[in-house]
Amino acid sequence: MRMKELSDRSGVPTATIKYYLREGLLRPGRRINATQAAYDEEHLRRLRLVRALIQVGRMPVATAREVLVAVEDDALDLHSRIGAAVWSLPADFPDTGAKTPGTAPPPDAEAPVPDAAPDPVVAAAEERATELLVRLGWSFGSAARGESPAYRTLVEAIAALERSGYPCAMEDLLAYGRCADQLGVVDIDMIEAYEPGTRMVEAAVASTVLYEPVLLSLRRLAQAEESNRRFGDGG
Amino acid sequence: MRMKELSDRSGVPTATIKYYLREGLLRPGRRINATQAAYDEEHLRRLRLVRALIQVGRMPVATAREVLVAVEDDALDLHSRIGAAVWSLPADFPDTGAKTPGTAPPPDAEAPVPDAAPDPVVAAAEERATELLVRLGWSFGSAARGESPAYRTLVEAIAALERSGYPCAMEDLLAYGRCADQLGVVDIDMIEAYEPGTRMVEAAVASTVLYEPVLLSLRRLAQAEESNRRFGDGG
Protein backbone atom coordinates (compact mmCIF):
# COMPACT_ATOMS: atom_id res chain seq x y z
CA MET A 1 0.00 0.00 0.00
CA ARG A 2 1.02 3.63 -0.45
CA MET A 3 1.73 6.09 2.34
CA LYS A 4 -1.78 7.52 2.00
CA GLU A 5 -3.44 4.15 2.65
CA LEU A 6 -1.06 3.40 5.53
CA SER A 7 -2.14 6.70 7.05
CA ASP A 8 -5.85 6.03 6.49
CA ARG A 9 -5.74 2.54 7.92
CA SER A 10 -3.64 3.44 10.96
CA GLY A 11 -5.21 6.82 11.67
CA VAL A 12 -1.69 8.29 11.88
CA PRO A 13 -1.18 11.45 9.77
CA THR A 14 1.36 11.15 6.92
CA ALA A 15 3.57 13.89 8.42
CA THR A 16 3.83 11.76 11.57
CA ILE A 17 4.59 8.61 9.57
CA LYS A 18 7.41 10.49 7.78
CA TYR A 19 8.73 11.62 11.14
CA TYR A 20 8.76 8.01 12.42
CA LEU A 21 10.59 6.94 9.23
CA ARG A 22 13.23 9.67 9.69
CA GLU A 23 13.69 8.62 13.33
CA GLY A 24 14.15 4.99 12.38
CA LEU A 25 11.09 3.81 14.29
CA LEU A 26 9.54 2.44 11.13
CA ARG A 27 11.47 0.57 8.46
CA PRO A 28 11.56 2.22 5.01
CA GLY A 29 8.99 0.95 2.51
CA ARG A 30 9.91 -0.87 -0.70
CA ARG A 31 10.99 1.74 -3.28
CA ILE A 32 8.68 1.93 -6.31
CA ASN A 33 10.26 4.94 -7.93
CA ALA A 34 12.25 8.04 -6.95
CA THR A 35 9.46 9.54 -4.85
CA GLN A 36 7.22 6.64 -3.82
CA ALA A 37 7.43 3.55 -1.65
CA ALA A 38 5.11 0.66 -0.89
CA TYR A 39 4.21 -0.49 2.63
CA ASP A 40 2.77 -3.79 3.87
CA GLU A 41 0.79 -5.25 6.77
CA GLU A 42 4.00 -5.49 8.80
CA HIS A 43 4.44 -1.71 8.50
CA LEU A 44 0.86 -1.18 9.61
CA ARG A 45 1.30 -3.41 12.66
CA ARG A 46 4.56 -1.74 13.60
CA LEU A 47 3.08 1.70 13.09
CA ARG A 48 0.30 0.90 15.57
CA LEU A 49 2.86 -0.24 18.12
CA VAL A 50 5.00 2.90 17.63
CA ARG A 51 1.88 4.99 18.05
CA ALA A 52 1.02 3.15 21.28
CA LEU A 53 4.51 3.82 22.67
CA ILE A 54 4.91 7.45 21.59
CA GLN A 55 1.47 8.98 21.41
CA VAL A 56 -0.33 6.96 24.06
CA GLY A 57 2.67 6.09 26.23
CA ARG A 58 4.44 9.46 25.76
CA MET A 59 7.70 7.60 25.52
CA PRO A 60 10.76 9.56 24.34
CA VAL A 61 11.78 8.61 20.79
CA ALA A 62 15.18 7.28 21.85
CA THR A 63 13.53 5.03 24.46
CA ALA A 64 10.90 3.83 21.99
CA ARG A 65 13.69 2.83 19.58
CA GLU A 66 15.32 0.65 22.28
CA VAL A 67 11.99 -0.82 23.33
CA LEU A 68 11.15 -1.84 19.77
CA VAL A 69 14.35 -3.85 19.56
CA ALA A 70 13.43 -5.81 22.70
CA VAL A 71 9.77 -6.24 21.71
CA GLU A 72 10.75 -7.82 18.40
CA ASP A 73 13.49 -10.00 19.82
CA ASP A 74 12.16 -13.54 19.40
CA ALA A 75 14.87 -14.84 21.71
CA LEU A 76 13.17 -13.16 24.68
CA ASP A 77 10.19 -14.69 26.50
CA LEU A 78 6.88 -12.88 26.41
CA HIS A 79 7.30 -11.54 29.95
CA SER A 80 10.62 -9.92 29.06
CA ARG A 81 9.13 -8.35 25.95
CA ILE A 82 6.10 -6.97 27.78
CA GLY A 83 8.38 -5.93 30.63
CA ALA A 84 10.80 -4.11 28.32
CA ALA A 85 7.94 -2.00 27.02
CA VAL A 86 6.07 -1.35 30.26
CA TRP A 87 9.16 -0.69 32.40
CA SER A 88 10.38 1.90 29.92
CA LEU A 89 7.22 3.98 30.12
CA PRO A 90 7.85 7.37 31.74
CA ALA A 91 6.76 7.18 35.39
CA ASP A 92 7.18 10.78 36.51
CA PHE A 93 3.61 10.95 37.80
CA PRO A 94 4.10 13.79 40.30
CA ASP A 95 4.61 16.20 37.40
CA THR A 96 0.94 15.86 36.50
CA GLY A 97 -0.57 19.24 35.84
CA ALA A 98 2.73 21.10 35.91
CA LYS A 99 2.18 22.69 32.54
CA THR A 100 -1.27 24.05 33.19
CA PRO A 101 -1.36 27.29 31.18
CA GLY A 102 -1.26 30.48 33.16
CA THR A 103 0.84 29.09 35.96
CA ALA A 104 4.07 30.97 36.42
CA PRO A 105 6.09 29.21 39.09
CA PRO A 106 8.62 31.31 40.98
CA PRO A 107 12.15 31.04 39.62
CA ASP A 108 13.47 28.81 42.38
CA ALA A 109 10.33 26.91 43.31
CA GLU A 110 11.18 23.93 41.19
CA ALA A 111 14.93 23.98 41.54
CA PRO A 112 15.96 20.35 41.86
CA VAL A 113 17.49 19.25 45.12
CA PRO A 114 21.23 18.82 44.49
CA ASP A 115 21.93 15.10 44.57
CA ALA A 116 25.54 15.15 45.65
CA ALA A 117 25.25 13.50 49.08
CA PRO A 118 22.83 10.58 49.52
CA ASP A 119 19.56 12.02 50.86
CA PRO A 120 18.70 10.35 54.21
CA VAL A 121 14.95 10.75 53.53
CA VAL A 122 15.33 8.94 50.21
CA ALA A 123 17.48 6.25 51.82
CA ALA A 124 14.79 5.68 54.47
CA ALA A 125 12.09 5.63 51.78
CA GLU A 126 14.06 3.03 49.87
CA GLU A 127 14.17 0.82 52.95
CA ARG A 128 10.41 1.11 53.43
CA ALA A 129 9.73 0.42 49.74
CA THR A 130 11.85 -2.72 49.91
CA GLU A 131 10.11 -3.85 53.11
CA LEU A 132 6.74 -3.22 51.46
CA LEU A 133 7.55 -5.35 48.42
CA VAL A 134 8.87 -8.15 50.60
CA ARG A 135 5.74 -8.08 52.79
CA LEU A 136 3.56 -8.14 49.66
CA GLY A 137 5.44 -11.25 48.61
CA TRP A 138 6.49 -9.72 45.32
CA SER A 139 9.51 -11.74 44.41
CA PHE A 140 10.00 -10.52 40.88
CA GLY A 141 13.02 -8.56 39.76
CA SER A 142 14.66 -8.00 43.11
CA ALA A 143 17.97 -7.58 41.30
CA ALA A 144 16.69 -5.37 38.49
CA ARG A 145 14.19 -3.57 40.72
CA GLY A 146 16.45 -0.58 41.38
CA GLU A 147 16.53 0.11 37.65
CA SER A 148 12.75 0.19 37.25
CA PRO A 149 11.29 3.68 36.78
CA ALA A 150 8.20 2.54 38.71
CA TYR A 151 10.32 1.50 41.69
CA ARG A 152 12.23 4.81 41.65
CA THR A 153 8.90 6.63 41.52
CA LEU A 154 7.62 4.63 44.50
CA VAL A 155 10.70 5.54 46.53
CA GLU A 156 10.43 9.22 45.57
CA ALA A 157 6.71 9.24 46.42
CA ILE A 158 7.33 7.80 49.90
CA ALA A 159 10.09 10.39 50.39
CA ALA A 160 7.77 13.20 49.22
CA LEU A 161 5.13 12.16 51.78
CA GLU A 162 7.75 12.24 54.51
CA ARG A 163 9.09 15.65 53.46
CA SER A 164 5.62 17.15 53.25
CA GLY A 165 4.89 16.22 56.85
CA TYR A 166 2.48 13.37 56.04
CA PRO A 167 4.63 10.27 56.59
CA CYS A 168 2.88 7.11 55.50
CA ALA A 169 2.34 4.13 57.76
CA MET A 170 3.38 0.68 56.56
CA GLU A 171 -0.22 -0.54 56.98
CA ASP A 172 -1.43 2.13 54.52
CA LEU A 173 1.28 1.22 52.03
CA LEU A 174 0.26 -2.43 52.42
CA ALA A 175 -3.40 -1.57 51.78
CA TYR A 176 -2.34 0.21 48.59
CA GLY A 177 -0.12 -2.70 47.62
CA ARG A 178 -2.96 -5.20 48.05
CA CYS A 179 -5.19 -3.12 45.79
CA ALA A 180 -2.39 -2.90 43.24
CA ASP A 181 -2.08 -6.68 43.43
CA GLN A 182 -5.73 -7.07 42.43
CA LEU A 183 -5.28 -4.56 39.62
CA GLY A 184 -2.22 -6.39 38.33
CA VAL A 185 -4.34 -9.52 37.88
CA VAL A 186 -7.15 -7.58 36.18
CA ASP A 187 -4.59 -5.90 33.89
CA ILE A 188 -2.85 -9.07 32.80
CA ASP A 189 -6.26 -10.73 32.25
CA MET A 190 -7.08 -7.85 29.88
CA ILE A 191 -3.78 -8.22 28.07
CA GLU A 192 -4.23 -11.97 27.69
CA ALA A 193 -7.35 -11.35 25.63
CA TYR A 194 -4.99 -10.27 22.82
CA GLU A 195 -2.98 -12.64 20.70
CA PRO A 196 0.52 -13.39 22.07
CA GLY A 197 3.33 -11.38 20.51
CA THR A 198 3.59 -7.73 19.55
CA ARG A 199 -0.16 -7.22 19.67
CA MET A 200 -0.10 -8.24 23.34
CA VAL A 201 2.82 -5.90 24.03
CA GLU A 202 0.88 -3.08 22.40
CA ALA A 203 -2.14 -3.86 24.58
CA ALA A 204 0.07 -3.93 27.67
CA VAL A 205 1.48 -0.48 26.93
CA ALA A 206 -1.90 0.98 26.03
CA SER A 207 -3.76 -0.42 29.03
CA THR A 208 -0.98 0.47 31.45
CA VAL A 209 -1.10 4.08 30.37
CA LEU A 210 -4.76 4.53 29.52
CA TYR A 211 -6.13 2.96 32.72
CA GLU A 212 -4.08 5.30 34.90
CA PRO A 213 -6.52 8.20 34.60
CA VAL A 214 -9.40 5.72 35.06
CA LEU A 215 -7.89 4.56 38.34
CA LEU A 216 -6.98 7.98 39.67
CA SER A 217 -10.33 9.54 38.84
CA LEU A 218 -12.23 6.60 40.38
CA ARG A 219 -10.13 6.91 43.53
CA ARG A 220 -11.04 10.58 43.82
CA LEU A 221 -14.72 9.85 43.31
CA ALA A 222 -14.52 7.04 45.89
CA GLN A 223 -12.92 9.44 48.38
CA ALA A 224 -15.75 11.91 47.84
CA GLU A 225 -18.25 9.09 48.35
CA GLU A 226 -16.62 7.88 51.56
CA SER A 227 -16.09 11.42 52.84
CA ASN A 228 -19.77 12.16 52.33
CA ARG A 229 -20.73 8.95 54.18
CA ARG A 230 -18.70 9.97 57.20
CA PHE A 231 -18.68 13.77 57.31
CA GLY A 232 -21.53 14.86 55.06
CA ASP A 233 -24.70 16.60 56.19
CA GLY A 234 -26.66 13.42 55.74
CA GLY A 235 -23.92 11.22 57.25
CA MET B 1 9.65 34.60 63.64
CA ARG B 2 11.37 36.41 60.78
CA MET B 3 11.21 35.44 57.11
CA LYS B 4 14.56 33.67 57.42
CA GLU B 5 13.34 31.36 60.21
CA LEU B 6 10.06 30.72 58.37
CA SER B 7 12.14 29.64 55.37
CA ASP B 8 14.44 27.43 57.44
CA ARG B 9 11.61 25.71 59.31
CA SER B 10 9.45 25.14 56.22
CA GLY B 11 12.23 24.35 53.79
CA VAL B 12 10.72 26.86 51.37
CA PRO B 13 13.23 29.38 49.91
CA THR B 14 12.59 33.03 50.86
CA ALA B 15 12.12 33.99 47.18
CA THR B 16 9.28 31.47 46.98
CA ILE B 17 7.73 32.72 50.24
CA LYS B 18 7.80 36.27 48.82
CA TYR B 19 6.13 34.97 45.66
CA TYR B 20 3.36 33.30 47.71
CA LEU B 21 2.89 36.57 49.65
CA ARG B 22 2.60 38.57 46.41
CA GLU B 23 0.09 36.06 45.04
CA GLY B 24 -2.01 36.25 48.20
CA LEU B 25 -1.54 32.61 49.09
CA LEU B 26 0.03 33.53 52.41
CA ARG B 27 -1.25 36.33 54.63
CA PRO B 28 1.21 39.17 55.25
CA GLY B 29 3.19 38.97 58.47
CA ARG B 30 2.84 41.47 61.28
CA ARG B 31 4.83 44.58 60.35
CA ILE B 32 7.77 45.25 62.65
CA ASN B 33 9.26 48.12 60.70
CA ALA B 34 9.42 49.40 57.11
CA THR B 35 11.30 46.39 55.77
CA GLN B 36 10.59 43.55 58.21
CA ALA B 37 7.60 41.47 59.30
CA ALA B 38 7.03 38.75 61.87
CA TYR B 39 5.41 35.39 61.10
CA ASP B 40 3.83 32.83 63.44
CA GLU B 41 3.01 29.12 63.60
CA GLU B 42 -0.15 29.72 61.57
CA HIS B 43 2.01 31.08 58.71
CA LEU B 44 4.23 28.05 58.94
CA ARG B 45 1.29 25.62 58.78
CA ARG B 46 -0.28 27.49 55.88
CA LEU B 47 3.02 27.69 54.03
CA ARG B 48 3.42 23.92 54.21
CA LEU B 49 -0.04 23.42 52.74
CA VAL B 50 0.55 25.96 49.96
CA ARG B 51 3.78 24.25 49.13
CA ALA B 52 2.09 20.84 48.95
CA LEU B 53 -0.65 22.22 46.70
CA ILE B 54 1.61 24.12 44.33
CA GLN B 55 4.87 22.24 44.28
CA VAL B 56 3.73 18.68 44.91
CA GLY B 57 0.14 18.93 43.68
CA ARG B 58 1.07 21.29 40.81
CA MET B 59 -2.13 23.20 41.36
CA PRO B 60 -2.37 26.46 39.40
CA VAL B 61 -1.95 29.48 41.68
CA ALA B 62 -5.44 30.84 40.95
CA THR B 63 -6.99 27.48 41.88
CA ALA B 64 -4.91 27.22 45.04
CA ARG B 65 -6.16 30.64 46.09
CA GLU B 66 -9.81 29.54 45.73
CA VAL B 67 -9.17 26.26 47.52
CA LEU B 68 -7.63 28.02 50.50
CA VAL B 69 -10.74 30.20 50.86
CA ALA B 70 -13.03 27.16 50.96
CA VAL B 71 -10.74 25.23 53.30
CA GLU B 72 -10.89 28.03 55.86
CA ASP B 73 -14.63 28.68 55.57
CA ASP B 74 -16.09 27.63 58.92
CA ALA B 75 -19.64 27.86 57.56
CA LEU B 76 -19.06 24.75 55.40
CA ASP B 77 -19.32 21.23 56.81
CA LEU B 78 -16.18 19.15 56.87
CA HIS B 79 -17.19 17.09 53.85
CA SER B 80 -17.69 20.23 51.77
CA ARG B 81 -14.35 21.65 52.82
CA ILE B 82 -12.51 18.43 52.05
CA GLY B 83 -14.46 18.16 48.79
CA ALA B 84 -13.71 21.74 47.75
CA ALA B 85 -10.02 21.09 48.12
CA VAL B 86 -9.81 17.63 46.60
CA TRP B 87 -12.15 18.31 43.70
CA SER B 88 -10.06 21.32 42.66
CA LEU B 89 -6.85 19.38 42.23
CA PRO B 90 -5.75 19.17 38.59
CA ALA B 91 -6.96 15.87 37.17
CA ASP B 92 -5.41 15.95 33.71
CA PHE B 93 -3.59 12.70 34.35
CA PRO B 94 -3.18 11.60 30.70
CA ASP B 95 -0.58 14.34 30.17
CA THR B 96 1.83 12.47 32.40
CA GLY B 97 5.25 12.23 30.82
CA ALA B 98 4.41 14.45 27.86
CA LYS B 99 7.24 16.85 28.53
CA THR B 100 10.07 14.37 28.84
CA PRO B 101 13.14 16.27 27.64
CA GLY B 102 14.53 15.33 24.28
CA THR B 103 11.17 14.36 22.85
CA ALA B 104 10.27 16.37 19.79
CA PRO B 105 6.79 15.29 18.80
CA PRO B 106 5.89 15.71 15.15
CA PRO B 107 3.94 18.89 14.46
CA ASP B 108 0.54 17.29 14.06
CA ALA B 109 0.88 14.29 16.36
CA GLU B 110 -0.83 15.94 19.29
CA ALA B 111 -3.24 18.23 17.48
CA PRO B 112 -6.36 18.34 19.65
CA VAL B 113 -9.57 16.98 18.23
CA PRO B 114 -11.81 19.95 17.47
CA ASP B 115 -14.67 19.94 19.97
CA ALA B 116 -17.35 21.76 18.02
CA ALA B 117 -20.02 19.06 17.67
CA PRO B 118 -20.75 16.70 20.59
CA ASP B 119 -18.37 13.78 20.21
CA PRO B 120 -20.31 10.48 20.00
CA VAL B 121 -17.39 8.61 21.59
CA VAL B 122 -17.47 10.96 24.58
CA ALA B 123 -21.26 10.69 24.80
CA ALA B 124 -21.00 6.88 24.89
CA ALA B 125 -18.20 7.11 27.47
CA GLU B 126 -20.39 9.33 29.63
CA GLU B 127 -23.15 6.73 29.56
CA ARG B 128 -20.75 4.00 30.60
CA ALA B 129 -19.26 6.13 33.38
CA THR B 130 -22.74 6.82 34.74
CA GLU B 131 -23.66 3.14 34.57
CA LEU B 132 -20.42 2.28 36.36
CA LEU B 133 -21.07 4.65 39.24
CA VAL B 134 -24.65 3.41 39.58
CA ARG B 135 -23.47 -0.21 39.64
CA LEU B 136 -20.86 0.65 42.24
CA GLY B 137 -23.65 2.08 44.37
CA TRP B 138 -21.99 5.47 44.60
CA SER B 139 -24.86 7.74 45.40
CA PHE B 140 -22.91 10.87 46.20
CA GLY B 141 -23.13 14.02 44.14
CA SER B 142 -25.21 12.71 41.26
CA ALA B 143 -26.27 16.30 40.60
CA ALA B 144 -22.84 17.88 41.00
CA ARG B 145 -21.02 14.94 39.44
CA GLY B 146 -20.81 16.48 35.97
CA GLU B 147 -18.88 19.40 37.42
CA SER B 148 -16.24 17.24 39.07
CA PRO B 149 -12.84 17.26 37.32
CA ALA B 150 -12.40 13.64 38.39
CA TYR B 151 -15.66 12.63 36.70
CA ARG B 152 -14.73 14.51 33.51
CA THR B 153 -11.35 12.78 33.57
CA LEU B 154 -13.03 9.40 33.96
CA VAL B 155 -15.25 10.06 30.93
CA GLU B 156 -12.28 11.26 28.86
CA ALA B 157 -10.22 8.24 29.89
CA ILE B 158 -12.95 5.81 28.82
CA ALA B 159 -13.23 7.71 25.52
CA ALA B 160 -9.44 7.60 25.03
CA LEU B 161 -9.42 3.80 25.47
CA GLU B 162 -12.17 3.49 22.86
CA ARG B 163 -10.39 5.79 20.37
CA SER B 164 -7.07 3.98 20.79
CA GLY B 165 -8.66 0.68 19.81
CA TYR B 166 -8.63 -0.80 23.34
CA PRO B 167 -12.25 -0.41 24.44
CA CYS B 168 -12.79 -1.33 28.08
CA ALA B 169 -15.32 -3.86 29.28
CA MET B 170 -17.75 -2.95 32.06
CA GLU B 171 -16.41 -5.82 34.16
CA ASP B 172 -12.90 -4.29 34.02
CA LEU B 173 -14.23 -0.87 34.95
CA LEU B 174 -16.12 -2.49 37.85
CA ALA B 175 -12.96 -4.24 39.03
CA TYR B 176 -11.18 -0.88 39.04
CA GLY B 177 -14.13 0.74 40.81
CA ARG B 178 -14.11 -1.88 43.58
CA CYS B 179 -10.40 -1.29 44.17
CA ALA B 180 -11.03 2.45 44.26
CA ASP B 181 -13.76 1.83 46.83
CA GLN B 182 -11.26 0.10 49.12
CA LEU B 183 -8.77 2.92 48.61
CA GLY B 184 -11.42 5.52 49.43
CA VAL B 185 -11.91 3.87 52.83
CA VAL B 186 -8.15 3.63 53.44
CA ASP B 187 -7.74 7.30 52.45
CA ILE B 188 -10.48 8.64 54.68
CA ASP B 189 -9.16 6.50 57.56
CA MET B 190 -5.78 8.17 57.07
CA ILE B 191 -7.37 11.60 57.01
CA GLU B 192 -9.38 10.89 60.17
CA ALA B 193 -6.14 10.42 62.06
CA TYR B 194 -5.72 14.20 61.86
CA GLU B 195 -7.71 16.60 64.01
CA PRO B 196 -11.00 17.72 62.43
CA GLY B 197 -10.94 21.06 60.66
CA THR B 198 -8.30 22.72 58.54
CA ARG B 199 -5.63 20.22 59.45
CA MET B 200 -7.82 17.37 58.22
CA VAL B 201 -8.55 19.15 54.95
CA GLU B 202 -4.82 19.72 54.50
CA ALA B 203 -4.18 16.04 55.06
CA ALA B 204 -6.88 15.14 52.52
CA VAL B 205 -5.30 17.35 49.85
CA ALA B 206 -1.78 16.18 50.58
CA SER B 207 -2.62 12.48 50.69
CA THR B 208 -4.80 12.63 47.58
CA VAL B 209 -1.93 14.08 45.59
CA LEU B 210 0.99 12.33 47.22
CA TYR B 211 -0.49 8.83 47.15
CA GLU B 212 -1.17 8.99 43.42
CA PRO B 213 2.42 8.15 42.40
CA VAL B 214 2.46 5.50 45.15
CA LEU B 215 -0.61 3.87 43.64
CA LEU B 216 0.50 4.10 40.01
CA SER B 217 4.00 2.81 40.67
CA LEU B 218 2.67 -0.08 42.78
CA ARG B 219 0.26 -0.98 39.99
CA ARG B 220 3.13 -1.13 37.51
CA LEU B 221 5.21 -3.28 39.83
CA ALA B 222 2.19 -5.54 40.41
CA GLN B 223 1.75 -5.91 36.66
CA ALA B 224 5.38 -6.92 36.30
CA GLU B 225 4.92 -9.40 39.13
CA GLU B 226 1.79 -10.92 37.60
CA SER B 227 3.27 -10.91 34.09
CA ASN B 228 6.27 -12.81 35.38
CA ARG B 229 4.03 -15.35 37.14
CA ARG B 230 2.19 -16.08 33.89
CA PHE B 231 4.67 -15.51 31.07
CA GLY B 232 8.09 -15.58 32.72
CA ASP B 233 10.73 -18.22 32.21
CA GLY B 234 10.06 -19.60 35.65
CA GLY B 235 6.27 -19.32 35.34
Side-chain angles (χ1 to χ4, degrees):
Chain A
M1 74 191 96
R2 299 296 170 80
M3 170 83 76
K4 175 74 171 59
E5 190 184 340
L6 186 64
S7 169
D8 289 346
R9 287 182 60 190
S10 64
V12 178
T14 56
T16 306
I17 296 176
K18 285 177 186 168
Y19 170 77
Y20 292 161
L21 284 165
R22 280 199 303 279
E23 292 290 332
L25 297 165
L26 200 60
R27 275 180 276 268
R30 187 172 48 80
R31 279 272 150 232
I32 298 175
N33 57 42
T35 58
Q36 289 188 307
Y39 302 89
D40 55 24
E41 294 300 316
E42 176 62 22
H43 282 96
L44 183 60
R45 189 193 55 70
R46 171 83 169 218
L47 183 54
R48 286 187 175 136
L49 177 57
V50 170
R51 180 174 173 258
L53 299 179
I54 304 221
Q55 279 179 260
V56 179
R58 311 286 176 142
M59 198 179 275
V61 166
T63 311
R65 207 181 283 120
E66 286 168 30
V67 164
L68 289 164
V69 171
V71 165
E72 304 198 328
D73 182 349
D74 291 331
L76 294 174
D77 68 18
L78 193 50
H79 167 68
S80 305
R81 294 160 74 185
I82 293 175
V86 172
W87 277 35
S88 301
L89 289 168
D92 52 344
F93 312 123
D95 282 335
T96 298
K99 359 162 253 331
T100 311
T103 317
D108 56 354
E110 296 189 69
V113 177
D115 54 4
D119 183 333
V121 176
V122 172
E126 181 126 23
E127 253 176 59
R128 311 201 71 202
T130 303
E131 187 192 337
L132 170 64
L133 301 193
V134 169
R135 289 184 63 176
L136 286 167
W138 294 359
S139 56
F140 167 71
S142 50
R145 186 187 288 156
E147 301 304 311
S148 153
Y151 180 75
R152 295 313 320 163
T153 299
L154 175 62
V155 170
E156 284 301 329
I158 295 172
L161 276 156
E162 182 72 38
R163 280 195 211 100
S164 302
Y166 302 90
C168 50
M170 182 54 70
E171 65 181 303
D172 295 325
L173 288 175
L174 277 167
Y176 267 72
R178 281 187 219 105
C179 280
D181 230 346
Q182 297 168 34
L183 293 172
V185 173
V186 172
D187 290 339
I188 305 296
D189 280 347
M190 279 197 265
I191 293 164
E192 278 208 298
Y194 295 88
E195 60 187 272
T198 48
R199 181 79 183 136
M200 199 185 269
V201 175
E202 240 180 87
V205 168
S207 68
T208 294
V209 173
L210 294 172
Y211 268 90
E212 285 177 350
V214 171
L215 177 57
L216 296 186
S217 53
L218 283 173
R219 172 175 171 252
R220 291 207 186 169
L221 292 167
Q223 283 181 335
E225 183 74 18
E226 183 65 17
S227 168
N228 189 47
R229 267 183 222 135
R230 295 196 209 181
F231 312 126
D233 260 342
Chain B
M1 71 190 99
R2 298 295 168 79
M3 171 82 77
K4 177 72 171 62
E5 190 184 341
L6 186 64
S7 168
D8 288 347
R9 288 183 60 190
S10 64
V12 178
T14 57
T16 305
I17 296 176
K18 285 176 185 168
Y19 171 77
Y20 292 160
L21 285 165
R22 280 199 304 280
E23 292 290 332
L25 297 166
L26 199 60
R27 274 181 276 266
R30 188 171 48 79
R31 278 273 150 232
I32 297 175
N33 57 42
T35 59
Q36 289 188 307
Y39 302 89
D40 55 24
E41 296 300 316
E42 176 63 21
H43 282 97
L44 182 61
R45 188 195 57 70
R46 170 86 166 220
L47 182 54
R48 285 186 176 138
L49 173 60
V50 169
R51 187 191 195 202
L53 294 179
I54 306 235
Q55 281 181 257
V56 183
R58 310 289 176 149
M59 194 181 275
V61 165
T63 311
R65 205 182 285 120
E66 286 167 31
V67 164
L68 291 164
V69 170
V71 165
E72 304 197 329
D73 183 351
D74 292 331
L76 296 174
D77 70 15
L78 195 49
H79 169 69
S80 304
R81 293 160 75 186
I82 292 173
V86 172
W87 277 33
S88 301
L89 289 167
D92 53 344
F93 312 121
D95 282 335
T96 298
K99 28 178 216 327
T100 310
T103 316
D108 56 354
E110 296 190 69
V113 176
D115 54 3
D119 183 333
V121 175
V122 172
E126 181 127 22
E127 252 176 60
R128 311 199 71 204
T130 304
E131 187 193 337
L132 171 65
L133 300 193
V134 168
R135 287 183 63 175
L136 286 167
W138 294 359
S139 56
F140 166 70
S142 50
R145 186 187 288 156
E147 301 303 312
S148 153
Y151 180 75
R152 295 314 321 164
T153 298
L154 174 63
V155 170
E156 285 300 328
I158 294 172
L161 276 156
E162 182 72 37
R163 280 195 211 99
S164 303
Y166 303 91
C168 50
M170 182 54 70
E171 65 181 303
D172 295 326
L173 288 175
L174 277 168
Y176 267 72
R178 283 187 219 103
C179 280
D181 230 345
Q182 297 167 35
L183 293 172
V185 174
V186 172
D187 290 339
I188 306 295
D189 280 347
M190 278 198 267
I191 292 164
E192 279 209 299
Y194 294 88
E195 60 188 272
T198 319
R199 182 78 183 139
M200 196 185 271
V201 179
E202 265 178 60
V205 169
S207 69
T208 293
V209 173
L210 296 171
Y211 269 90
E212 284 177 352
V214 171
L215 177 57
L216 296 186
S217 54
L218 282 172
R219 171 174 171 253
R220 291 210 187 169
L221 292 167
Q223 283 181 335
E225 183 72 18
E226 183 65 18
S227 168
N228 188 48
R229 268 183 221 134
R230 295 197 210 181
F231 313 126
D233 259 342

